[in-house]
Amino acid sequence: MSRAVRRCGGAFLLLFLAAVVATTLGSVRINLGHVLGILVSRLPGLGKLVEPTWPLAHEMIVLRVRLPRVLLALVVGGGLSVAGVLFQGSLRNPLADPYIIGVSSGASLGAAVGLLLVIPRGWVGHGFLPLFAFAGAVLATLAVARLGQRRGRLEPTGLLLAGVAVGAFLTALVSLLMVLRIENLQDVYLWLMGSLSGRTWGHLSMAVPYVAVGLVLALFLAKDLNVYLLGEEAAHSLGIDVQRVQRLVLITGALMAAACVAVSGVIGFVGLMVPHALRLIVGAEHRRLVFHSLWAGALFLLVADTLARTVFAPLEVPVGIVTAFVGGPFFIYLLKRGSDFYG
Amino acid sequence: MAKVRVDRVSYAYDAEPVLDDVSLSLQPGRFYAVVGPNGAGKSTLLKLLDGYIQPQKGAVYLNDKDLRSYSVAELAREIALIPQSSYYFPFTVEEMVLLGRSPFYSRLGTPSEQDRRIAQASMEVTGIAHLAKRLVSELSGGERQRVTIARAFAQQTEVLLLDEPTTHLDLEHQINTCQLLKERSREGVTVVAVLHDLNLAASFCDYIFVLDAGRLREEGPPGEVFTPELIAQVFKVTVPSLRHPVTGRPIITP
């Protein structure tokens, strides 16, 4: 138990330090002491202890711009990674990602409908977009779950096939919308690439509940997922109600992924690569895998997003480009290094 | 008292009948083989015995209680199943065998000292204790199969079901596997294995069930069941009547 506490403490400390450093970086450099001072000044009870020696503008940048974005990167990175663990586990497929059963294509269509047909131009950025994307993701997942059943049972192959089919269909609809409404193309296009630019506390508060509840459920289901990896019949004979677990895991993963996509667009590769890489390093035991994927995914997306907004400053690249650019080679390195685990 | 009783069970996938009015009973301490041509319904019978699927007609009784009245968790403490195909994710051998103890601790719990002792004993019996820290994904086929058997042993159930446990194994491992199962049955466990290799069934099993086209065609000790007539009718192969010079058990070869 004390080992678990130490690990959690270590991971928290690491993420905290990374978050503080990331907050200092950007077009305006803010020194470390000021960032810490600004943070402490906002803590209830402790606020009076620090003398505000920093410019007000810096306080605004930290509190309104950088901090919500940094925290959102942590939440979305951790959320997508844990969702990836759930999907790879419940589909028993190491190539599954959080988007595989329709979440991303559904969210994209929701966002495209919102951006191109419903939300008036001046209202974009008022928080409606995530609602459209979330609704799209949930509806698409329900459709896939419905179509992917065989004899009333959810099965990995059926779900994967239905996911691919529904995904292709919805993506075609998104493309069609984009062609028909070419004047708003850029908004949709940027959204599809995934970005944390300009995200606010509102976005954060929308994603956090889903990721938090999802995380708790993922830990709760970890033992069942371990057994489930042995195959359906073996899992049944070890006392697992396979269909119920399958359902719970898919709902949990889909809601986590939907909430993340809704606030950040389609950020690829994190949810695929992080769980896969961690499985190669810490093994398939799910309690360990969920925990390590959570902090590693959070850290990875934070680093990627910080690079995305600083490397070509003042130009910003969509973070999805960075995750693929950094993640691809690393992933290949891991695969070359390790043996084939799935033979 | 029979440990397990199958009473006039029929099962169909969609409209395709797979098992038709099958009755049989299984005693403690015996090693049973289920044999038959492809599509005879052997795997389906095993799934029914495990409660993985429910019969559309008839019933399966465990300890004289309808299998349907057991919860999935209760069944896991009574019956262990080794399915035909297994998946090998990067668990260590020890972790994998400990999964056999998972019906005995709670969702948020961890294996107890006793669970670990039982897992250790299962690994020793199956001869894989020295592999405990290795990843199952890195083992050979024969070693994996022993891990799977150790996992089922760790479950410590009174009924053990196996679907083609020897299929991908070389001769030595086929014989080791059957020997392990036979020893297990001598400790009082009811062991039922679907076997394709009739000679393995003839050499190691106490009692044979022959399934053909969803019906129980014949049952009895190997010496009585494996006659050239039955082999010809069920497997469409002509064989001479041969006996092992030492054990006197039938040998089935063209």
Side-chain angles (χ1 to χ4, degrees), chain B residues 14 29 39 53 60 67 75 101 195 203 205:
Chain B
D14 300 328
I53 52 178
V60 180
L67 217 52
L75 274 182
R101 297 304 298 163
L195 291 174
S203 320
C205 296

Side-chain angles (χ1 to χ4, degrees), chain B residues 33-59:
Chain B
V34 179
V35 303
N38 290 333
K42 305 184 294 293
S43 295
T44 303
L45 176 63
L46 225 51
K47 286 179 191 170
L48 285 161
L49 288 173
D50 186 48
Y52 184 68
I53 52 178
Q54 272 80 43
Q56 282 129 0
K57 272 188 222 159

Side-chain angles (χ1 to χ4, degrees), chain A residues 119-187:
Chain A
I119 307 173
R121 273 238 86 172
W123 288 59
V124 172
H126 282 73
F128 293 108
L129 191 52
L131 298 180
F132 278 91
F134 187 76
V138 170
L139 289 175
T141 307
L142 287 176
V144 169
R146 180 109 200 121
L147 296 170
Q149 289 188 17
R150 288 178 178 180
R151 296 199 185 96
R153 298 173 69 89
L154 290 172
E155 278 169 11
T157 318
L159 284 168
L160 286 171
L161 291 174
V164 170
V166 170
F169 181 74
L170 296 182
T171 305
L173 280 179
V174 173
S175 303
L176 182 66
L177 274 179
M178 287 167 73
V179 172
L180 293 178
R181 290 288 175 122
I182 209 151
E183 66 275 13
N184 297 22
L185 202 59
Q186 200 185 359
D187 289 338

